[in-house]
Amino acid sequence: MNQPITAKINNKGHFEIGGCDCVDIASEFGTPLYVLCEVSVRGKCREYRTAFKDRYPNSLVIYASKALCNISLLKIIQDEGLGVDVSSFGELYTAKKAGVDLANVYMHGNNKPKKELEDAIDLNVGAIVVDNFAELETIGEITSKSKKQVKILFRVNPGIEAHTHEFVQTGQTDSKFGIAKEDILKAVSFALKLEYVDFAGLHAHIGSQIFDIDPFLAEIDVLTLLAKEINNQLGFKVREINIGGGLGIDYSGSDNVPAIDSFAGKIISHFKEKCAEASIGEPKLILEPGRSIVGVAGITLYTVGSVKDIPGIRKYVSVDGGMSDNPRPILYGAKYEALIANKASMQKEEKVTIVGRFCESGDKLLIDYELQKAEKGDILAVLCTGAYNYSMASNYNRVTRPAMALANNGSVKLIIKRESYEDLVRCDVF
Ligand SMILES: *Cc1c(COP(=O)(O)O)cnc(C)c1O
C-alpha cells in the first residue's frame, strides 16, 4: 500500500496520519472527509525543488493546482518556494487569495474565456500559456486596449503519445490541446509583432499518470529543436521551456514509478545536452507536477453503512460517499487501496466490493478488494486520494461536498468546510 509518509498503526490498532488517529479525526469532523498529510505535501515540494534546483539553478517547479486547489494548500505551496499552474481564473483567484507570488503563476487552458483572460492580465498573472491562434488574437486585442504587457508561452502539440489512459493523454497529434509543432514559427512571428505581448518560450504537457521517462525526453527533443528554429529563423532567443507535468504515482502499491530525484537527473542531463546541441544557451526550465505532489498525501475517510452479502456472488460494503467525492473509478476505472481505520492492525480476510451511496450502479470505489471484516460503523480509509478527488467532486444527488482536514504533528485542522444544505440551494432562483 502506498500511503502518506506519516501513516502508521497506533497502539489502539488504529490507522493514523500526521500523528492523528483517523478514527478520532472522523468523529471530530464527520465523514466523508478528506485528510491531507502536511509533511507529505511539503516533502514532495522539497524533493522536486532540490532535485531540479541543485542540478539546474535556472529552473522553476510550479504546482499544477487543478489536482487540488484551496487557500491553505496553496499557502503551503508558496511557502515551499513553488510557483502555481492554473487552468482557470478560479484557480488564479484562489492563488491570489493564498498570497501566491503571481509572477510565478502560469495560466493554461485550450479555450480560456475572454473575461478570464482580461481578469488574469489585469491581475498581472506571471504568464499565459497560449493554446491557439484565436487566443493569441484575443490577447492581442485585450492588451492593445488595456496597454498592459503580458508574458506568453506557446503550448506546443509535440505529437507524442505517452503510455497512459487515453482520457489523460494530451500530447498526441490528434488532441484538442496546443499548436502543431509545424505552426509554431508562424505563431511566434505573429506574437513578436504584438506590442504588449512578451513572448518568452514554449510549453508542452504530454499527459498524466505517466511512469515512463522516455516520452518526456522525446518532448524535450521537440521543444529544444523548435527553440533552435526560432533562434535561427527569427533571431529570437527563447527564455523559457516548460515541460508540463504528468509524473505518475503508485496507487496500487505495485506500480513502478520513477523516484523524483532520478526523474530529475535524467530530465536535466538530457535537457542540458539538447540545449547545447541546439545552441540555445540555458533557458529557464519549468515543470508542472500536480498529482505527484498531493496524490499520496491525501486519504478519504468514510463510514460503513450496510454490508450486503449475496451468497456465492459478492459482498457489498456501502459507504457514505462515492462517485461524487471520487469520480476517478467510474471515469477511468482508476484503482485504489483501502483499509478499515479502526481495524488497521487486523488481517485483511474477505473480498468485498466497496460501493458509494449514489444512484448509479457504477458507483464503485473498489471492486473485489481484500479488506478487514467490515461492519456497520467502521471507518474506511481510501488511500492516495489527494489529487483529482476534491477538485473533481460534484454535488450529484444534491449531496454536500465533504470537508478537508490537514493533519500535522498530532494536530488536525479544518481547511475546507463541509458544504451545508443552504450551500446547495445558494444559486437557485425562484
Ligand atoms: C494537468 C496538468 C498538469 C499536471 O499534471 P499531473 O499529472 O497532475 O502532474 C501540468 N500541466 C498542465 C498544462 C496540465 O494540464
Side-chain angles (χ1 to χ4, degrees), residues 10 51 89 104 108 142 224 237 249 274 293 311 329 362 409:
N10 66 18
F89 189 81
N104 289 335
H108 293 284
I142 295 169
T224 49
K237 198 151 200 157
I249 62 167
K274 291 291 154 181
I293 289 190
N409 207 13

Side-chain angles (χ1 to χ4, degrees), residues 11 21 29 40 58 90 107 112 132 143 155 209 214 221 264 295 318 342-343 361 385 393 411 413 419-420:
N11 54 17
D21 187 318
F29 298 104
S40 296
N58 191 20
M107 186 182 199
K112 305 170 190 74
N132 53 66
T143 52
R155 177 161 183 164
Q209 187 59 357
D214 291 344
D221 294 352
S318 295
N342 50 305
K343 296 175 178 168
S361 288
T385 61
S411 72
K413 63 177 185 205
E419 281 178 331
S420 66

Side-chain angles (χ1 to χ4, degrees), residues 48 62 64-67 85 87 108-109 155 170 177 203-205 207-210 242 244-248 288-293 387-388:
Y48 264 113
I62 64 182
S65 68
K66 74 175 189 283
D85 141 348
S87 49
H108 293 284
R155 177 161 183 164
T170 53
F177 295 107
H203 165 271
H205 170 70
S208 199
Q209 187 59 357
I210 302 170
N242 180 333
L247 187 64
E288 307 174 323
R291 187 192 311 271
S292 53
I293 289 190
Y388 303 108

Side-chain angles (χ1 to χ4, degrees), residues 167-403:
F167 289 6
V168 292
Q169 264 186 6
T170 53
Q172 74 281 20
T173 307
D174 180 3
S175 165
K176 71 170 182 174
F177 295 107
I179 298 173
K181 53 182 187 285
E182 296 75 19
D183 295 332
I184 287 293
L185 276 175
K186 198 171 116 196
V188 174
S189 43
F190 186 24
L192 291 176
K193 291 192 201 106
L194 297 173
E195 190 179 353
Y196 298 99
V197 169
D198 169 28
F199 167 70
L202 302 173
H203 165 271
H205 170 70
I206 53 174
S208 199
Q209 187 59 357
I210 302 170
F211 294 164
D212 187 7
I213 296 183
D214 291 344
F216 290 103
L217 304 183
E219 181 195 351
I220 289 172
D221 294 352
V222 171
L223 294 178
T224 49
L225 196 65
L226 283 172
K228 177 183 172 179
E229 283 176 23
I230 292 168
N231 194 10
N232 292 354
Q233 301 195 27
L234 303 172
F236 183 86
K237 198 151 200 157
V238 160
R239 308 197 305 270
E240 297 189 1
I241 291 185
N242 180 333
I243 62 168
L247 187 64
I249 62 167
D250 178 10
Y251 283 97
S252 68
S254 56
D255 283 325
N256 201 5
V257 183
I260 289 169
D261 192 62
S262 89
F263 172 74
K266 288 181 180 146
I267 293 284
I268 287 165
S269 66
H270 193 75
F271 183 72
K272 282 181 176 166
E273 188 187 313
K274 291 291 154 181
C275 287
E277 254 176 57
S279 312
I280 53 168
E282 296 207 333
K284 185 169 190 171
L285 173 65
I286 302 170
L287 80 159
E288 307 174 323
R291 187 192 311 271
S292 53
I293 289 190
V294 293
V296 182
I299 66 169
T300 308
L301 300 177
Y302 300 98
T303 302
V304 172
S306 69
V307 178
K308 166 173 161 176
D309 192 12
I310 308 174
I313 298 184
R314 196 182 297 282
K315 192 178 249 190
Y316 284 101
V317 173
S318 295
V319 296
D320 54 355
M323 62 180 280
S324 84
D325 58 78
N326 184 359
R328 295 187 67 257
I330 199 167
L331 203 54
Y332 312 127
K335 299 270 185 292
Y336 284 90
E337 297 268 330
L339 71 157
I340 294 182
N342 50 305
K343 296 175 178 168
S345 59
M346 294 181 190
Q347 282 299 327
K348 290 186 166 177
E349 57 176 82
E350 56 179 12
K351 197 168 262 189
V352 297
T353 289
I354 300 168
V355 295
R357 58 170 290 184
F358 296 90
C359 302
E360 295 280 327
S361 288
D363 177 24
K364 296 171 180 160
L365 289 171
L366 288 92
I367 298 171
D368 293 338
Y369 185 76
E370 194 82 29
L371 191 68
Q372 291 91 356
K373 190 173 165 46
E375 291 161 295
K376 179 177 170 181
D378 282 342
I379 301 297
L380 181 83
V382 176
L383 305 177
C384 298
T385 61
Y388 303 108
N389 271 235
Y390 193 94
S391 64
M392 288 183 154
S394 75
N395 291 120
Y396 181 50
N397 287 169
R398 283 236 152 170
V399 168
T400 56
R401 277 177 296 183

